[in-house]
């Protein structure tokens, strides 16, 4: 497990109001993987940086990237939906994509 992005900053919201977060897994043409997220209604995207293909085991014929949520870290019930899938990122997301490489510490996640 890597922690490429800090935990989302907590916000006070009214009981009736739901907070929505968009999360994306991006596969590059070169085989690299990156992640991004933003709160719905905000322009700012947070990016992990790209994990290059060379980082994955050389012997692996195929790799399968997944997007998981650490539900044990959530402080309220949550629902997750897939609302978009396609060969290109939505234009608002694609415009914000940096060209940085992944830079995080790997560790074991304790469930």
């Amino acid at each position: 497990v890597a922690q490429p992005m800090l935990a989302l900053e907590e916000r006070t919201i009214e009981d009736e109001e739901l907070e929505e977060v968009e999360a994306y897994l991006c596969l590059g043409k070169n085989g690299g993987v990156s992640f991004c997220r933003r709160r719905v209604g905000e322009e700012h995207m947070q990016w992990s940086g790209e994990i290059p293909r060379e980082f994955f085991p050389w012997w692996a014929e195929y790799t399968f990237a997944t997007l998981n949520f650490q539900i044990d870290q959530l402080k309220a019930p949550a629902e997750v939906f897939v609302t978009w899938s396609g060969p290109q990122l939505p234009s608002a997301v694609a415009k914000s994509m940096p060209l940085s490489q992944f830079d995080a510490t790997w560790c074991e996640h304790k469930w």
Side-chain angles (χ1 to χ4, degrees), residues 24-68:
Y24 294 88
L25 178 148
C26 308
L27 302 173
K29 290 180 182 179
N30 62 357
V33 177
S34 59
F35 302 90
C36 70
R37 68 179 177 205
R38 72 172 170 190
R39 285 188 163 98
V40 171
E42 292 185 4
E43 292 293 318
H44 177 70
M45 298 289 292
Q46 294 175 309
W47 285 89
S48 65
E50 185 178 71
I51 303 169
R53 173 67 184 103
E54 298 78 39
F55 187 80
F56 301 106
W58 61 268
W59 45 263
E61 188 173 344
Y62 300 101
T63 56
F64 299 92
T66 63
L67 183 62
N68 294 302

